[in-house]
Amino acid sequence: MPSGLIALLDDVAGIAKLAAASLDDVGAAAGKASTKAAGVVVDDAAVTPRYVMGLSPSRELPIISKIALGSFRNKLIFILPVALVLSAFAPWAITPILMCGGTYLCFEGAEKLLEAMGHGGHEDAAPVARDTAALEKTTVSGAVRTDLILSAEIMAIALADVAAQPILTQAAVLAVVGIAMTVVVYGAVGLIVKMDDIGLHLAQRPNGGVRALGRGLVKGMPMVMSALSAIGTAAMLWVGGGILLHGSHTLGLHWPAVPVEHLSHAVGELFGPLAGVMSWLTTAVASAVIGLIVGGVVVLVLHQVARLRSKESH
């Protein structure tokens, strides 16, 4: 009996060591995958604040909380199981699906850009704006739809990094990455949108330097929010165009990915120590241009279809 108990304890200790090693592997893989997805995370953080611009300050954090909850749902309930199934049975379908999502991002970005230029605004914008509940619902649903595409890109990057691992390791890494990225993105977004309130609080402090900092935050945040709105639109075009660029190359199309790659290398060589930054910037700009072209075409087609339907209805 004692020897049997000792053997059992040895087995338990071995299982515990194996579990600890597995957790270490998951943590390391999740950290590596999260680093590779950092670019999309920045885009996600830039896109989201524009959804609460113009809304009541008291509703900003509740709306962001709803969007964050939708993001958790996107990553853990929808994307994670689908990604695992595709990885196991149809890995060839991941790239085309991502490209469809990239096209949607291009469409969103191009439409926002056209609206900012005074073209193609929604005719029902004013009636919706008068109904606060409907406006919040529309805002959250639109943000969650956009988050679905960006979340899919984040999870796809993470999946690609652990594709050779066992299925349970893949699931664990995707879950860790999904939770961590959502907390980071929407925590940062919440801080950004409430920065003016923080500035107002600091402006009432007795210390003169702190008051000056607070006033600076209050005065500067409208410009920061406007800039983030512009960055968010550009990010949609950049990420969407980048998905299409890399996806087409993965599917075996050399154009336009190869010319863009050659161009980025050529530009990088002109700047010596800044070669890496300039190469990245060249690729980003090219991706945004591709996104604008594709998104613009989709916008024109959909608007034309809408006009034809309107004529038929009359």
Side-chain angles (χ1 to χ4, degrees), residues 39-40 43-44 46-47 50-51 98-99 101-117 146 149-150 153 228-246 281-299:
V40 183
D43 299 329
D44 204 353
V47 167
R50 70 182 180 83
Y51 286 102
L98 282 176
M99 291 180 72
T103 302
Y104 176 76
L105 278 181
C106 294
F107 158 71
E108 281 257 298
E111 188 173 49
K112 295 297 179 184
L113 185 60
L114 287 173
E115 289 178 8
M117 297 171 62
T146 300
I149 308 303
L150 294 172
E153 180 69 359
L228 282 175
S229 179
I231 292 171
T233 299
M236 286 182 176
L237 296 172
W238 168 25
V239 175
I243 293 173
L244 296 179
L245 187 68
H246 296 302
L281 184 60
T282 301
T283 302
V285 171
S287 298
V289 171
I290 292 170
L292 179 59
I293 293 172
V294 173
V297 170
V298 175
V299 169

Side-chain angles (χ1 to χ4, degrees), residues 184-241:
V184 169
V185 168
Y186 291 98
V189 169
L191 181 62
I192 289 170
V193 300
K194 300 307 291 183
M195 193 64 72
D196 53 350
D197 292 340
I198 295 173
L200 185 61
H201 175 73
L202 294 177
Q204 298 172 349
R205 306 298 291 177
N207 185 282
V210 174
R211 287 201 307 271
L213 175 61
R215 289 193 295 268
L217 288 175
V218 172
K219 292 179 180 178
M221 283 313 296
M223 292 183 290
V224 171
M225 293 298 290
S226 296
L228 282 175
S229 179
I231 292 171
T233 299
M236 286 182 176
L237 296 172
W238 168 25
V239 175

Side-chain angles (χ1 to χ4, degrees), residues 131-188:
D131 187 343
T132 302
L135 177 59
E136 287 192 9
K137 184 176 180 180
T138 301
T139 297
V140 172
S141 63
V144 171
R145 281 197 304 270
T146 300
D147 174 89
L148 179 64
I149 308 303
L150 294 172
S151 292
E153 180 69 359
I154 291 171
M155 300 291 268
I157 292 171
L159 180 62
D161 207 51
V162 295
Q165 300 293 328
I167 190 71
L168 290 179
T169 301
Q170 292 182 25
V173 169
L174 290 179
V176 171
V177 170
I179 293 171
M181 294 297 98
T182 303
V183 171
V184 169
V185 168
Y186 291 98

Side-chain angles (χ1 to χ4, degrees), residues 119-131:
H119 303 289
H122 299 295
E123 294 178 0
D124 58 348
V128 172
R130 288 195 291 267
D131 187 343

